[in-house]
Amino acid sequence: MKIALFPSLFVLLQAALLQGCFSPSESTQFQSYLDRVSRVLEIPSVDIGDGSEIVLPSKRELTIEPETITLGLLESYELRKCGLFNLIAERNSILGKVQDPFRELDFQVALLNGLNRCKTSHEISEMLSKKLTEIESIKYQQLPIYVSNTIFSSDAFRSQLGTQTWISPNITSLDSELTASLATLQSVLSGQMESITPYQEVIEKKVVLGPLLFSMRSASESLATVTAALKFADGKVVCEKGRDKTQFNYLKNIFQSQYVEKIQPYLANLDGLYLQVAPYTQLFHLANDKYTYPLANVHGEFRASIKEHVEYWQALFKRCGHSPSR
């Protein structure tokens, strides 16, 4: 895959293979890159580290309580005529009141389907039909709350979103079921009432989104550290005609062996994975004004750090009369 933000001069970078060459700890490649650059430039290296864990705010902080809607006893009894009474009674039972966010969202989906059916039933009064129409409208408005609670308050999604793990370079595409789960949440918001509970297990076990966020953020920070080192010692790199270019040649080889052949393919893969998630990122900032899962923001920073890094090398190669294609 190619990253479009790379300048045309870097055809070699864009054509790099996506197969990862990273060790079990992907941060070691960035550390090796920085250490080698620092040795050639004769400046101190620093410990890049393994990145900081993604920690979500507590469930209590992120759970939103929607407005409660009630029906009178006689109205509730009348719902027997259109098959909605049992659904509501089950939800109001002791077990129904403690169901997890996935089943709560599924209940809201089933309720909306029932309200849509009941409000046009000839078995109920015109007054109740009008009230059901009003309730249906409110319930549609509340859907973003229930989706947000499913994402930020369920154990399955919190396992998916919070982690301190580099994503494996072998993962080059999102799991189809994980994609389907995000698509289902999006379809619920658009009025297509589907169940999310069948995807609960895959969301909990096939963890990709948290490692993707962690990897993009950690890669951005690590690459920015290398860029800062290069810029700090840029004046040391001699390129004038007739001068010894040994130092520049060492740097050129490090760029090729460390960045082009090892790091850039991994960065390209991260970018490709994010683009597969991008159509669903609105799900992470629907109704909660206290917290936004920063996947989109981190991706912007990720691309900016790559751009800055590549532009440094582009400027250095231009100053030294070298093209990566040679």
Side-chain angles (χ1 to χ4, degrees):
M1 177 174 183
K2 301 177 181 180
I3 299 182
L5 56 85
F6 284 178
S8 59
L9 178 59
F10 289 85
V11 175
L12 180 59
L13 305 187
Q14 294 175 325
L17 295 175
L18 290 183
Q19 285 87 354
C21 301
F22 274 35
S23 69
S25 176
E26 277 69 22
S27 62
T28 60
Q29 289 296 339
F30 288 99
Q31 188 68 59
S32 177
Y33 187 28
L34 175 62
D35 290 346
R36 295 187 184 196
V37 165
S38 298
R39 279 198 297 271
V40 171
L41 294 175
E42 299 179 335
I43 59 175
S45 186
V46 297
D47 182 7
I48 287 180
D50 292 324
S52 54
E53 183 179 1
I54 298 166
V55 180
L56 301 178
S58 69
K59 293 181 184 180
R60 192 173 196 177
E61 290 179 76
L62 297 183
T63 300
I64 306 170
E65 296 296 337
E67 174 190 356
T68 301
I69 301 171
T70 59
L71 282 172
L73 182 61
L74 292 178
E75 292 171 321
S76 297
Y77 187 80
E78 193 176 350
L79 293 178
R80 292 178 183 273
K81 299 176 181 179
C82 62
L84 194 55
F85 178 83
N86 288 341
L87 176 68
I88 295 175
E90 184 179 341
R91 170 62 179 81
N92 290 333
S93 68
I94 294 176
L95 291 177
K97 289 180 179 179
V98 294
Q99 59 191 350
D100 67 26
F102 278 84
R103 286 169 176 77
E104 176 62 33
L105 178 57
D106 277 356
F107 166 74
Q108 298 300 323
V109 167
L111 178 61
L112 279 164
N113 285 331
L115 288 169
N116 185 58
R117 182 183 67 253
C118 279
K119 71 180 182 180
T120 58
S121 172
H122 298 299
E123 301 295 322
I124 65 173
S125 66
E126 184 177 341
M127 183 178 296
L128 180 56
S129 176
K130 182 178 179 181
K131 188 161 188 177
L132 293 182
T133 300
E134 293 171 355
I135 292 174
E136 181 185 35
S137 176
I138 294 171
K139 283 296 176 183
Y140 270 116
Q141 293 172 32
Q142 290 179 344
L143 276 177
I145 293 176
Y146 291 106
V147 171
S148 181
N149 285 346
T150 301
I151 292 172
F152 292 125
S153 301
S154 69
D155 291 336
F157 256 112
R158 290 176 72 86
S159 295
Q160 176 70 227
L161 299 179
T163 186
Q164 187 179 2
T165 306
W166 288 87
I167 201 164
S168 169
N170 296 322
I171 298 176
T172 57
S173 63
L174 290 185
D175 180 86
S176 59
E177 288 186 286
L178 179 58
T179 303
S181 72
L182 298 175
T184 296
L185 289 174
Q186 198 136 285
S187 69
V188 167
L189 293 172
S190 64
Q192 300 175 37
M193 300 291 100
E194 300 179 36
S195 173
I196 187 61
T197 298
Y199 297 105
Q200 190 168 3
E201 184 175 358
V202 72
I203 290 169
E204 183 171 15
K205 293 185 176 179
K206 295 187 178 179
V207 179
V208 174
L209 301 182
L212 176 60
L213 174 59
F214 177 86
S215 300
M216 288 195 300
R217 187 176 66 184
S218 299
S220 298
E221 294 170 353
S222 300
L223 202 59
T225 301
V226 180
T227 306
L230 287 164
K231 288 185 174 181
F232 174 78
D234 183 68
K236 292 187 172 187
V237 183
V238 176
C239 292
E240 289 80 3
K241 187 175 181 179
R243 299 286 298 275
D244 183 1
K245 292 187 179 182
T246 300
Q247 187 181 49
F248 170 71
N249 288 331
Y250 280 140
L251 286 176
K252 179 180 64 176
N253 291 335
I254 291 171
F255 173 72
Q256 174 66 34
S257 64
Q258 297 297 303
Y259 185 77
V260 174
E261 296 178 8
K262 296 180 180 179
I263 292 177
Q264 193 274 337
Y266 186 72
L267 299 179
N269 193 44
L270 292 179
D271 192 65
L273 286 170
Y274 173 79
L275 293 179
Q276 294 174 53
V277 179
Y280 311 108
T281 52
Q282 63 160 323
L283 293 170
F284 304 124
H285 49 85
L286 278 171
N288 202 311
D289 57 3
K290 297 178 182 178
Y291 178 73
T292 296
Y293 191 67
L295 200 59
N297 289 342
V298 168
H299 179 253
E301 295 165 1
F302 170 75
R303 281 197 165 185
S305 70
I306 295 172
K307 184 174 185 292
E308 183 181 11
H309 189 74
V310 172
E311 285 179 344
Y312 170 79
W313 284 108
Q314 182 183 29
L316 178 63
F317 289 161
K318 183 177 180 180
R319 176 162 71 86
C320 295
H322 171 78
S323 170
S325 60
R326 294 209 304 266

